[in-house]
Amino acid sequence: MKPLNRSLSLLLVLLLSACTSMKTPLLAKQPATTTEQAADDETAAAAEDNPNLPRLELTPQIVYGVLASEIAAQRGAAGSSAATYLDLARQTRDPRLAQRAAEFALFTGQLKDAADALALWMELDPSSQIPREQLFITMLRSGKLAESQPLVEDLLKREPQRAPDIFVQLARLTARQNDKQAAYALVNRLASQYPDLPEARFAVIAVAAEVNDDASIQREFDRLAQIAPKWDLPVAWQTDRLRRIRLGQAIDFLQQELARRPDAGLELRMAYPRLLVGAKRFPEARTAFEALLRQNPDNAELLYASGLLAYQLRDLAAADQRLTAALQQRHPESDFIRFTLGQVAEDRQDKAVARQWYESVGAGQQFLQAQARLAALDAEAGRLDQALQRLAPLGQGEQEKVQLAMQQAELARHAKRYDLSFRILSQALENWPRSPELLYDRALVSDQLGNLGDAERDLKTLLKEKPDDPQALNALGYTLANRSNRHQEALAYIEKALKADPDNPMILDSMGWVLFKLGRNEAALKYLERSYSAMQDSEVAAHLGEVMWKLGRKQDALSLWRQALAKDPDNETLQDALKRFHLP
């Protein structure tokens, strides 16, 4: 119900239809226009046709109550309007005032007042089915299924053709019932009268789920597979329910149901590979999407999903083909597809095609990312100034401006323009001095410039705002371990970071490195090995190799460094380690 959509003037005309004798002295003294007279004639005729409408005198109290309620509702106080209308309905015994009270109460979620108004409306106009249906639903929403039993039985008796809708409402609102067992017994009793009605079987499934009766759920799904193999709603409902409990169980259930529902809708069949994606079973998900795509070769959503999965699995040619086809089929995520195709082209080392895709991304959520990639391509080509100028005028609001400053600083850092990177971050911090992201990035640049004091100052400022942030704690501990002799102090920061995030490979690396600085080589080795097994990073390889060398495992260290150099020949930390040991 949408009570606020009705105009005040129309409401008064409707109200007058119940009040043919409402001629107050104030109204009687004013001449009626032709239109007003016609309205009076029509409303009077309507009142005579409905014996349930009372003949009332339009008192100032009624007029004021209606006007005040409508104005209050327009000003956002529809709750008080419901109470006023309910009071007027009780005084006048007019069912339309009870109806209006119910509308406002339902609109504002006042279920008790709504139930009172609907019960009064039903009492005053017993021939109307609307208040019965609304009262039934309101009682279900209030968790009072047992109290609604006479209503639902009466509805089923009066209008048996409405049974499907009634049972769907029962299924939809069973979770709100306070007495689960009573609800289960009642729905089973009602549904037993409709053994071949799919909606009745669905209602039983819903209440059985509330009392964990898995045997009944399975039995009803077996029945539904026979009598309603093309009705997807119950299967989708149960799949979503199981997904929130245990994803693997949802996958097994849906696979079983699809096997015996060959005519299931495409949306339900697409739910299966989507669940597989959620479980990170990407090869299986791709196979399932490809099978659906063979049956629906022009479906934009299937082309999109299979293209993204192909990219996830590094099948770049298939990703390019599928995503291009999805774009041709006008998939709504067109700019995201263009951006992803740019990434595919970059991965295929086709920078020119990548630029074309990024430049085709329009204004929207992907625009800044596309411009950032174009700036990165400019910087890689040696055009750092052009890259920075591209990003400078972009962004709306603090969050975007901060992110763009960080991207500009990162481009300068990659170009080994550490002084420029520091200036960019410092200028941004003049506008947003408490930004933790800017403080963190500037600390990293200060470290690269060898400015321990600046790095320490920024990280401690950050930690005043976020004292338990593991990333900042780790950065400060690692910087102190690497740039000073304050190794015990560094250890304390890293221990705190590791306690907050015990499996983070970067923090494990820091712990190994500070232990190495403290001469605890065996303990250091364990942390560094854990770090490298989780993340084969060149810097970790440099640290791990150095510990191995100190422990006499020189061949292991050389082998590890050679592997890391093959992947990342320009890594500065790795190069420094080799120089310290006078290795080529």
Side-chain angles (χ1 to χ4, degrees):
M1 294 186 180
K2 298 182 180 179
L4 300 185
N5 290 342
R6 188 183 302 177
S7 69
L8 180 59
S9 59
L10 175 59
L11 178 67
L12 288 174
V13 169
L14 293 173
L15 181 58
L16 285 169
S17 70
C19 310
T20 55
S21 62
M22 293 181 183
K23 296 295 182 182
T24 65
L26 178 63
L27 294 175
K29 290 178 182 177
Q30 299 180 6
T33 65
T34 304
T35 304
E36 289 169 340
Q37 187 62 52
D40 269 352
D41 293 343
E42 290 180 17
T43 54
E48 290 174 1
D49 291 342
N50 191 340
N52 295 317
L53 298 179
R55 301 176 66 83
L56 303 173
E57 183 177 353
L58 184 57
T59 65
Q61 179 188 6
I62 294 173
V63 173
Y64 176 78
V66 169
L67 288 170
S69 296
E70 292 299 323
I71 292 170
Q74 293 295 331
R75 292 178 177 176
S80 63
S81 301
T84 302
Y85 266 114
L86 182 55
D87 186 55
L88 287 173
R90 285 168 174 158
Q91 293 177 38
T92 63
R93 308 295 291 172
D94 190 308
R96 278 166 297 184
L97 292 173
Q99 175 184 352
R100 194 63 170 157
E103 289 175 346
F104 280 123
L106 289 171
F107 181 77
T108 54
Q110 300 177 93
L111 297 182
K112 184 182 183 304
D113 287 347
D116 291 344
L118 289 165
L120 180 60
W121 179 9
M122 189 170 66
E123 175 191 340
L124 298 175
D125 190 2
S127 63
S128 176
Q129 289 302 307
I130 296 174
R132 297 175 187 276
E133 296 173 13
Q134 291 295 326
L135 182 56
F136 163 58
I137 294 171
T138 300
M139 294 184 78
L140 282 181
R141 289 175 60 193
S142 302
K144 299 178 179 179
L145 177 57
E147 292 90 329
S148 72
Q149 180 176 350
L151 284 169
V152 66
E153 289 177 339
D154 182 61
L155 283 170
L156 289 170
K157 182 178 178 180
R158 285 171 178 259
E159 298 185 72
Q161 73 278 8
R162 297 288 309 281
D165 292 339
I166 291 170
F167 278 108
V168 167
Q169 288 288 0
L170 285 170
R172 188 170 68 86
L173 295 171
T174 49
R176 297 195 180 197
Q177 305 315 305
N178 299 320
D179 190 336
K180 307 294 186 184
Q181 290 294 339
Y184 183 54
L186 175 57
V187 172
N188 267 288
R189 185 164 61 252
L190 294 171
S192 66
Q193 303 172 42
Y194 301 86
D196 296 322
L197 183 67
E199 291 82 359
R201 308 325 332 143
F202 179 34
V204 172
I205 288 170
V207 290
E210 290 299 311
V211 295
N212 300 314
D213 187 350
D214 294 333
S216 290
I217 293 173
Q218 185 60 55
R219 185 166 57 250
E220 296 298 342
F221 271 111
D222 292 342
R223 181 66 178 145
L224 279 174
Q226 295 176 351
I227 64 176
K230 295 183 180 180
W231 191 32
D232 295 344
L233 174 61
V235 178
W237 179 89
Q238 176 70 347
T239 300
D240 185 62
R241 171 180 168 269
L242 293 176
R243 177 188 60 80
R244 287 180 273 114
I245 298 171
R246 189 165 66 84
L247 183 56
Q249 192 175 351
I251 292 171
D252 293 343
F253 166 78
L254 184 54
Q255 186 179 34
Q256 168 195 292
E257 290 302 315
L258 290 175
R260 58 185 183 180
R261 293 170 177 268
D263 296 323
L266 180 58
E267 189 62 31
L268 185 65
R269 287 183 286 155
M270 287 174 64
Y272 177 66
R274 284 170 175 160
L275 289 176
L276 292 172
V277 170
K280 298 184 179 180
R281 292 159 60 175
F282 299 125
E284 293 174 72
R286 185 184 181 189
T287 299
F289 271 124
E290 292 289 342
L292 291 174
L293 191 58
R294 285 193 290 273
Q295 301 168 8
N296 306 271
D298 296 325
N299 184 281
E301 190 62 36
L302 290 172
L303 289 165
Y304 175 71
S306 63
L308 291 179
L309 277 170
Y311 184 50
Q312 173 71 30
L313 296 169
R314 311 309 297 163
D315 185 347
L316 300 181
D320 187 273
Q321 189 271 328
R322 292 282 193 266
L323 291 173
T324 302
L327 201 58
Q328 292 169 348
Q329 293 297 326
R330 300 181 183 277
H331 191 281
E333 295 289 344
S334 57
D335 274 339
F336 180 75
I337 292 173
R338 292 186 181 98
F339 179 77
T340 306
L341 283 168
Q343 293 185 300
V344 171
E346 276 200 80
D347 290 348
R348 299 176 82 178
Q349 303 303 311
D350 194 338
K351 303 296 175 66
V353 170
R355 291 191 70 92
Q356 291 174 2
W357 282 121
Y358 293 140
E359 287 169 349
S360 71
V361 173
Q365 291 184 347
Q366 309 305 321
F367 181 73
L368 286 180
Q369 291 189 71
Q371 292 300 308
R373 289 311 310 152
L374 285 167
L377 291 175
D378 288 338
E380 287 176 17
R383 299 188 296 271
L384 178 61
D385 290 341
Q386 181 177 325
L388 298 178
Q389 289 170 8
R390 178 187 291 277
L391 297 178
L394 303 179
Q396 299 292 326
E398 178 180 344
Q399 185 175 2
E400 287 186 357
K401 290 288 188 182
V402 166
Q403 289 298 318
L404 286 165
M406 291 168 62
Q407 288 168 352
Q408 288 177 299
E410 184 179 0
L411 293 176
R413 190 160 64 244
H414 280 307
K416 298 185 179 180
R417 294 282 305 280
Y418 302 125
D419 54 340
L420 177 58
S421 181
F422 185 87
R423 286 201 304 274
I424 292 169
L425 293 167
S426 296
Q427 289 170 2
L429 278 162
E430 289 179 4
N431 294 320
W432 303 287
R434 299 166 71 91
S435 168
E437 296 88 356
L438 293 173
L439 287 166
Y440 182 83
D441 275 15
R442 191 169 71 173
L444 297 185
V445 175
S446 294
D447 180 61
Q448 288 174 310
L449 286 167
N451 296 332
L452 173 61
D454 289 343
E456 184 177 358
R457 183 191 63 246
D458 281 344
L459 289 170
K460 286 186 174 180
T461 301
L462 193 164
L463 286 168
K464 286 180 182 177
E465 298 293 323
K466 303 171 70 175
D468 298 318
D469 183 77
Q471 189 177 25
L473 289 166
N474 179 61
L476 181 53
Y478 180 78
T479 300
L480 291 174
N482 212 38
R483 299 286 184 187
S484 77
N485 294 320
R486 295 154 60 188
H487 298 147
Q488 282 297 147
E489 185 181 349
L491 177 63
Y493 286 117
I494 296 169
E495 284 178 334
K496 190 174 180 180
L498 195 60
K499 185 177 180 180
D501 193 359
D503 296 318
N504 187 308
M506 296 304 296
I507 303 176
L508 290 169
D509 171 60
S510 297
M511 179 59 79
W513 191 237
V514 74
L515 290 172
F516 172 69
K517 292 286 187 175
L518 288 165
R520 296 162 60 182
N521 296 336
E522 293 289 351
L525 182 69
K526 294 178 181 178
Y527 282 104
L528 290 167
E529 286 178 335
R530 281 181 60 194
S531 175
Y532 194 68
S533 65
M535 179 186 68
Q536 295 190 0
D537 178 79
S538 298
E539 189 166 335
V540 180
H543 295 159
L544 178 56
E546 191 159 344
V547 174
M548 287 176 172
W549 189 280
K550 288 291 186 181
L551 288 170
R553 295 169 53 183
K554 296 184 178 181
Q555 288 303 317
D556 290 339
L558 286 171
S559 176
L560 179 63
W561 284 334
R562 289 190 185 111
Q563 291 175 17
L565 276 172
K567 295 178 183 178
D568 191 3
D570 298 323
N571 184 272
E572 293 181 2
T573 305
L574 200 55
Q575 293 286 355
D576 288 344
L578 295 175
K579 287 177 183 177
R580 280 199 303 277
F581 291 97
H582 308 289
L583 297 172

